[in-house]
Amino acid sequence: MSILQDIKNAVRSRSIHVAYVDVGSCNGCDIEVLACLAPRYDIEQYGIYVHNNPREADILLVIGSVTPQWVDKLRDIWEKIPEPKVAVAIGNCPISGCVYARRGTLTTPPVENYIPIAAQVPGCPPRPTEILNAILSVAPLIYKDYEEKQR
Amino acid sequence: MRSIFYYVREFLRPEWLKKFFFAKTAPLVSPSYFKDYPSLTEKECTACLSCMMICPAPGAIAVLRKKDGWEPEVYPGHCIRCGLCVEACPEGVLASGRILDVARRDKTAFLSWYRLQVDDNLCMRCGNCCVSCPVNREVDPQLAGTGTSASDEVIMRIEGGRVTILHEEKCTGCKTCENNCPNRAIRVARMVEGVQGEEAEA
Ligand code: SF4
Ligand code: SF4
Ligand code: SF4
Ligand code: SF4
């Protein structure tokens, strides 16, 4: 069993599938996630693949301070992701609401109220390296020996 | 035939193979000039609150009372790393990236003042703003109740059933009046002007 687990660990460490969802951001953080895909940072060399299909994803990147229309849809997306899964909050918006957290705001942050968040990447927007580091450091915590931890 | 041989040999060079299979872009570190969250320098904070006043992000910075003096604290998750607090601090308590060096080189600085505005449609002439203002209290200790005052030196007073603003320039931007207004009729706006050259040195 442990050999099988070792194989799974090795494969999973080089195959992290990511979906990202924008639940009402200013697009700043979306651009930074996009920059991760571009050759300068090249997310795929670290074994991270962006599919944007929750059914294939291991990690959900949540971007933006949650607008009321997104509340139930975000939960739907989260439920569609197969176990094991984690959500990472990208930017200040899902953490605190950032500049939108004012009197009379139309957003309803933080995102923690709706789905469990495993890691937060503060910044407005965070650097692509910070996003990459967060994904790379949260993934092994969740996926390493997942089956053995379940028992 | 010979060309194919050279072609294949070219591709079988170990360093080429190594680069092909293990290519990595630059390691994941931020450059030294990156404008990160403001960090503290050795300088002493005078609790003038310029940093809190200029900060555009809600809840990003607070000047806290520590055992030996005051100290600004920046909260990641709220701070947008704009660097305005670094530039606004007259003591140079905060530092981030090259902001201080560039401000010194270009001789730039911020001037700021406050603007008071009363919405006459919302104001019900209770005088709470005039009474609660700490500057008013100091100027005219008699000022109480209705917000009328015999002194011409107060920031604002009720005159003929209306709030009249006399000395806007004395306002320290504490927003006590805003918090004590039951109708949110009075608004304190911070005005900031960026200046360069001789003006900035003054
Ligand atoms: S954290 Fe800043 S850059 Fe990111 S979505 Fe929010 S406002 Fe935009
Ligand atoms: S860098 Fe900008 S957002 Fe952050 S504490 Fe300073 S003024 Fe506020
Ligand atoms: S950090 Fe600078 S601007 Fe902020 S209260 Fe202290 S001295 Fe004033
Ligand atoms: S902001 Fe403070 S100092 Fe200025 S008018 Fe209001 S109470 Fe007075």
Side-chain angles (χ1 to χ4, degrees), chain A residues 57-138:
Chain A
D58 300 316
I59 293 184
L60 180 69
L61 304 183
V62 188
I63 304 163
S65 50
V66 188
T67 57
Q69 292 95 323
W70 265 105
V71 169
D72 51 331
K73 296 177 186 79
L74 182 62
R75 285 204 188 97
D76 283 353
I77 289 177
W78 178 245
E79 271 149 31
K80 282 194 179 117
I81 300 178
E83 294 281 353
K85 59 184 173 184
V86 283
V88 178
I90 301 292
N92 284 355
C93 273
I95 301 172
S96 67
C98 199
V99 287
Y100 305 116
R102 290 177 195 276
R103 199 162 65 199
T105 181
L106 297 176
T107 60
T108 52
V111 77
E112 275 169 320
N113 294 351
Y114 313 107
I115 60 171
I117 295 290
Q120 297 175 329
V121 190
C124 178
R127 282 176 64 79
T129 53
E130 290 170 341
I131 299 173
L132 277 169
N133 274 334
I135 298 174
L136 289 175
S137 50
V138 79

Side-chain angles (χ1 to χ4, degrees), chain B residues 38 55-57 60-61 74 79-85:
Chain B
C55 179
I61 188 167
V74 175
C79 171
I80 64 173
R81 299 195 275 208
C82 63
L84 286 175
C85 55

Side-chain angles (χ1 to χ4, degrees), chain B residues 62-190:
Chain B
V63 180
L64 305 177
R65 176 97 209 164
K66 292 283 160 71
K67 214 178 268 157
D68 43 350
W70 295 85
E71 199 172 273
E73 186 157 334
V74 175
Y75 300 101
H78 294 260
C79 171
I80 64 173
R81 299 195 275 208
C82 63
L84 286 175
C85 55
V86 177
E87 260 185 279
C89 177
E91 313 293 330
V93 174
L94 296 157
S96 166
R98 314 186 261 220
I99 295 175
L100 289 177
D101 300 334
V102 172
R104 210 173 296 131
R105 187 194 68 203
D106 294 350
K107 293 193 176 59
T108 57
F110 285 125
L111 294 180
S112 67
W113 64 97
Y114 297 90
R115 231 191 101 167
L116 299 167
Q117 208 166 20
V118 181
D119 186 339
D120 258 341
N121 295 322
L122 292 173
C123 174
M124 61 179 188
R125 288 85 166 134
C126 64
N128 278 5
C129 51
C130 314
V131 177
S132 63
C133 174
V135 180
N136 267 9
R137 289 236 70 119
E138 214 162 277
V139 173
D140 183 6
Q142 311 291 325
L143 194 144
T146 53
T148 50
S149 169
S151 166
D152 286 338
E153 296 303 310
V154 291
I155 294 181
M156 61 209 161
R157 65 181 178 196
I158 303 282
E159 259 178 34
R162 292 194 55 191
V163 180
T164 308
I165 292 155
L166 300 172
H167 291 285
E168 209 171 50
E169 73 283 354
K170 286 189 188 169
C171 173
T172 59
C174 66
K175 298 205 177 206
T176 311
C177 49
E178 217 179 87
N179 293 336
N180 280 297
C181 179
N183 298 337
R184 289 183 183 156
I186 188 162
R187 305 304 296 264
V188 183
R190 177 194 61 221

Side-chain angles (χ1 to χ4, degrees), chain B residues 188-201:
Chain B
V188 183
R190 177 194 61 221
M191 315 293 281
V192 175
E193 189 183 12
V195 291
Q196 187 169 16
E198 270 155 42
E199 246 182 305
E201 277 164 11

